[in-house]
């Protein structure tokens, strides 16, 4: 699709339009937002984070101390007439912003929780309007946690529930399709990092787990960080990156 350094994709469709985001690490503006009509041709709309120093002082021009860190993989969703972007940084914690349009204006970046050791976050709103957030605590053996969200989406509510743990489990996305819950993620197997799916009748499990694809580490370049999106004709697509561009 794009021969560029655009890592850690997520993608959604709203009407006839597709919107994607990619991580930007220490660069500004943070969290690139892109648009497409066909999932092949994309243009950049801008960034969801206008001022990366809201993340922390280590991203300021006089320090520039977050190369390879900063804005890691996040998720974009459309809910209640707004676009929502959530992401983690490995050192500063959980952040979110929202906007009425993918071109903005995006609200000033909001910190949900100042912490470290987490990554790969995704929001999900159920049919009753309750919001949730799934994320990996990679500093604690890659346990995948599920939190409830406050009504405004700006706070984590109550204790979390560990819904999964496997070797290197991350790249979390949540979906509900025809009444069934799906937790898309990746994990590390002897063949390399592969895409996995949990499926169940509850967000907290129990789940049926399946491996979605196999990889050849020398040629496949870890297609794992990404999002599922359904085209108007009903076909499903997985939009991802090639993570090892050697």
């Amino acid at each position: 699709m794009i021969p560029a350094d655009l890592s850690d994709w997520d993608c959604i469709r709203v009407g006839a339009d597709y919107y994607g985001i990619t991580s930007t690490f220490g660069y500004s503006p943070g969290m690139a937002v892109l648009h497409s009509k066909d999932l092949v041709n994309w243009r950049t709309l801008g960034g969801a984070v206008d001022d990366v120093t809201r993340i922390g002082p280590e991203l300021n021009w006089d320090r520039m101390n977050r190369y390879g860190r900063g804005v890691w993989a996040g998720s974009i969703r459309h809910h209640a007439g707004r676009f929502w972007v959530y992401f983690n940084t490995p050192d500063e914690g959980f952040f979110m912003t929202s906007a009425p349009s993918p071109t903005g204006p995006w609200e000033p970046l909001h910190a949900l929780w100042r912490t470290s050791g987490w990554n790969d976050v995704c929001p999900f709103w159920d049919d009753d309007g309750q919001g949730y957030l799934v994320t990996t605590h990679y500093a604690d053996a890659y346990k995948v946690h599920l939190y409830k969200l406050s009504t405004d989406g700006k706070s984590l509510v109550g204790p979390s529930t560990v819904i999964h743990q496997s070797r290197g489990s991350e790249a979390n996305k949540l979906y509900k399709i025809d009444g069934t819950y799906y937790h898309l993620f990746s994990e590390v197997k002897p063949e390399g990092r592969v895409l996995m799916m949990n499926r169940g009748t509850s967000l907290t499990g129990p789940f049926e787990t399946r491996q979605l694809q196999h990889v050849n580490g020398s040629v496949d370049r870890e297609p794992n960080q990404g999002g599922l999106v359904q085209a108007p004709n009903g076909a499903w697509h997985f939009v991802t990156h090639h993570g090892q561009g050697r």
Side-chain angles (χ1 to χ4, degrees):
M1 292 167 16
I2 307 174
D5 187 9
L6 297 173
S7 63
D8 303 331
W9 270 83
D10 189 26
C11 184
I12 60 172
R13 179 176 63 86
V14 180
D17 298 277
Y18 299 95
Y19 301 100
I21 58 169
T22 78
S23 57
T24 47
F25 304 101
Y27 297 103
S28 183
M31 190 57 77
V33 181
L34 299 95
H35 170 256
S36 175
K37 285 287 190 180
D38 58 8
L39 285 176
V40 177
N41 301 284
W42 293 82
R43 65 185 182 95
T44 301
L45 298 178
V49 184
D50 62 342
D51 183 359
V52 294
T53 64
R54 294 183 187 274
I55 295 171
E58 296 301 313
L59 284 88
N60 198 34
W61 66 269
D62 60 348
R63 301 189 188 184
M64 300 181 72
N65 194 28
R66 284 295 180 263
Y67 182 78
R69 300 182 79 80
V71 180
W72 277 14
S75 297
I76 183 171
R77 292 294 181 265
H78 187 254
H79 167 70
R82 297 181 66 84
F83 291 83
W84 304 74
V85 167
Y86 287 75
F87 66 90
N88 305 92
T89 77
D91 303 296
E92 290 86 10
F94 294 70
F95 297 88
M96 61 79 62
T97 181
S98 70
S101 166
T103 59
W106 292 89
E107 290 187 342
L109 195 65
H110 173 76
L112 287 83
W113 182 20
R114 292 280 181 176
T115 185
S116 62
W118 299 75
N119 69 345
D120 297 0
V121 62
C122 180
F124 169 81
W125 285 270
D126 211 339
D127 298 334
D128 61 1
Q130 177 61 59
Y132 298 87
L133 201 72
V134 63
T135 182
T136 290
H137 194 184
Y138 70 83
D140 184 22
Y142 285 87
K143 293 175 183 173
V144 178
H145 291 245
L146 182 72
Y147 286 91
K148 280 189 175 182
L149 281 173
S150 60
T151 302
D152 63 4
K154 293 184 176 181
S155 302
L156 303 178
V157 178
S160 65
T161 300
V162 175
I163 64 170
H164 183 81
Q165 182 185 18
S166 55
R167 184 185 175 198
S169 49
E170 59 176 26
N172 303 288
K173 299 293 186 295
L174 288 176
Y175 306 94
K176 190 176 186 180
I177 305 169
D178 296 332
T180 300
Y181 298 94
Y182 294 83
H183 170 220
L184 183 72
F185 65 100
S186 71
E187 67 178 49
V188 177
K189 290 187 176 292
E191 66 189 272
R193 181 167 286 281
V194 299
L195 195 66
M196 305 288 295
M197 183 73 86
N198 284 330
R199 181 177 69 176
T201 58
S202 168
L203 275 174
T204 57
F207 296 115
E208 173 192 5
T209 303
R210 289 191 180 181
Q211 182 173 338
L212 298 187
Q213 110 282 34
H214 292 276
V215 296
N216 180 335
S218 64
V219 297
D220 288 330
R221 301 178 184 174
E222 294 192 344
N224 69 95
Q225 289 276 6
L228 291 176
V229 63
Q230 189 176 29
N233 65 3
W236 285 92
H237 301 273
F238 178 56
V239 183
T240 185
H241 67 194
H242 276 188
Q244 297 178 345
R246 292 193 292 266

